[in-house]
Amino acid sequence: MGILQRIYRKAYRSLANKKRSLISVSNNQAYPHVCMRAAFNYRCFNKFRRNPIYNEILEHVSKELGKEYIAEIRKSQYLWDKLPLFKMNDEYGGPVLCRYPEVGNVSPTTLRYIKVLGDLIKYFSQLDGISICEIGVGYGGQCRVINAYARPFKYTLVDIKPALLLAQRYLDNFIMHSSISYLTMNELEVSSYDLVVSNYAFTELNREIQDVYIEKIIKNARAGYITYNESPSEYNCYSWQELLEMIPAAKRFEEIPRSHPTNCVIIWGNQQ
């Protein structure tokens, strides 16, 4: 057994023990365990994107919604021309692929990441040479799509430790143009980023944790793109109306295509 393999196994046992008390029938409690196994187990990594527990949180975009993302991507020639490069996202994790006449086999979730990239280019224009912070990183798919198109100077991924470990395992399969940092909420310092991105993640956190991210990241960011999805009332999350009041110069935009009737996009900064 190699040195790195021993380190990975030791880290896995340590973090898994800490998370064991959180694991139950609740999907959001089982999710960290799935991430941990995928991060340190080769067989689990090869198929984590079709794990039923993982699919409760990520990689569950429908084929029909994927068609709508293709229609939006088709409007941007610079994205359409790079589809083969973006589709390399699906070479790892064993996702369920859907076949579309225009693009062949692809994960609908990857199509969503490409569509979000199109929005970032539309609203903020320049992604080269900037610092980006992503809150709620999944397995790193959005980060990889952005890096396949642009060359951000620095890219900070913020999430729980198991998700970060999985994202690093995934992204290490690609040549990334950015300097990548992986940080948990408590490892964050108050920092100023050029752009903050969060897709269906920041708005699913309870208000106490949202406050940490607002103070450490969002209020100091020059620009931001947050896909807002309404969470159950017991989570006590901020509404989109409250977030508009808290984030200077933030505006509400329709989500196109809309993944849910109450979803929207909150944007601030350099809007074209």
Side-chain angles (χ1 to χ4, degrees), residues 207-226:
R207 189 168 298 210
E208 183 179 11
I209 297 177
Q210 285 181 323
D211 283 336
V212 174
Y213 289 136
I214 289 170
E215 293 301 320
K216 288 187 173 183
I217 301 173
I218 291 174
K219 281 188 175 180
N220 306 302
R222 297 200 304 176
Y225 179 101
I226 296 176

Side-chain angles (χ1 to χ4, degrees), residues 38-222:
F40 295 114
N41 184 292
Y42 178 77
R43 291 182 180 178
C44 293
F45 178 76
N46 281 345
K47 57 184 179 180
F48 78 89
R49 290 172 67 181
R50 61 177 66 206
N51 182 294
I53 295 174
Y54 194 84
N55 294 155
E56 290 285 341
I57 309 298
L58 289 159
E59 204 71 24
H60 53 248
V61 179
S62 68
K63 182 176 182 179
E64 291 70 26
L65 189 54
K67 291 180 182 178
E68 297 186 61
Y69 288 133
I70 289 175
E72 291 300 312
I73 296 167
R74 194 71 180 87
K75 298 175 183 178
S76 303
Q77 193 63 43
Y78 51 84
L79 293 181
W80 193 254
D81 290 343
K82 287 185 176 290
L83 269 177
L85 185 61
F86 297 139
K87 287 171 63 178
M88 291 173 63
N89 266 40
D90 296 336
E91 293 180 359
Y92 301 94
V96 174
L97 304 179
C98 296
R99 182 163 185 81
Y100 301 96
E102 308 97 318
V103 299
N105 294 327
V106 63
S107 162
T109 300
T110 297
L111 294 173
R112 172 181 281 173
Y113 291 146
I114 301 169
K115 191 270 173 183
V116 168
L117 170 61
D119 282 352
L120 298 180
I121 297 167
K122 173 184 176 180
Y123 289 111
F124 309 113
S125 182
Q126 182 59 259
L127 301 180
D128 291 332
I130 70 171
S131 59
I132 299 176
C133 180
E134 184 177 352
I135 301 172
V137 305
Y139 51 84
Q142 186 70 71
C143 175
R144 193 269 155 179
V145 162
I146 291 173
N147 266 263
Y149 173 83
R151 292 176 175 267
F153 170 69
K154 180 173 69 172
Y155 203 114
T156 301
L157 297 165
V158 181
D159 211 316
I160 59 174
K161 182 63 74 174
L164 294 173
L165 290 168
L166 175 55
Q168 185 169 14
R169 173 72 181 269
Y170 175 83
L171 292 174
D172 279 351
N173 291 285
F174 301 96
I175 296 174
M176 305 294 286
H177 299 304
S178 304
S179 171
I180 311 291
S181 298
Y182 303 83
L183 299 175
T184 64
M185 173 183 66
N186 291 324
E187 291 171 334
L188 279 171
E189 297 179 351
V190 176
S191 301
S192 177
Y193 296 95
D194 294 313
L195 176 63
V196 173
V197 177
S198 186
N199 297 314
Y200 315 96
F202 170 76
T203 53
E204 293 181 346
L205 301 170
N206 67 50
R207 189 168 298 210
E208 183 179 11
I209 297 177
Q210 285 181 323
D211 283 336
V212 174
Y213 289 136
I214 289 170
E215 293 301 320
K216 288 187 173 183
I217 301 173
I218 291 174
K219 281 188 175 180
N220 306 302
R222 297 200 304 176

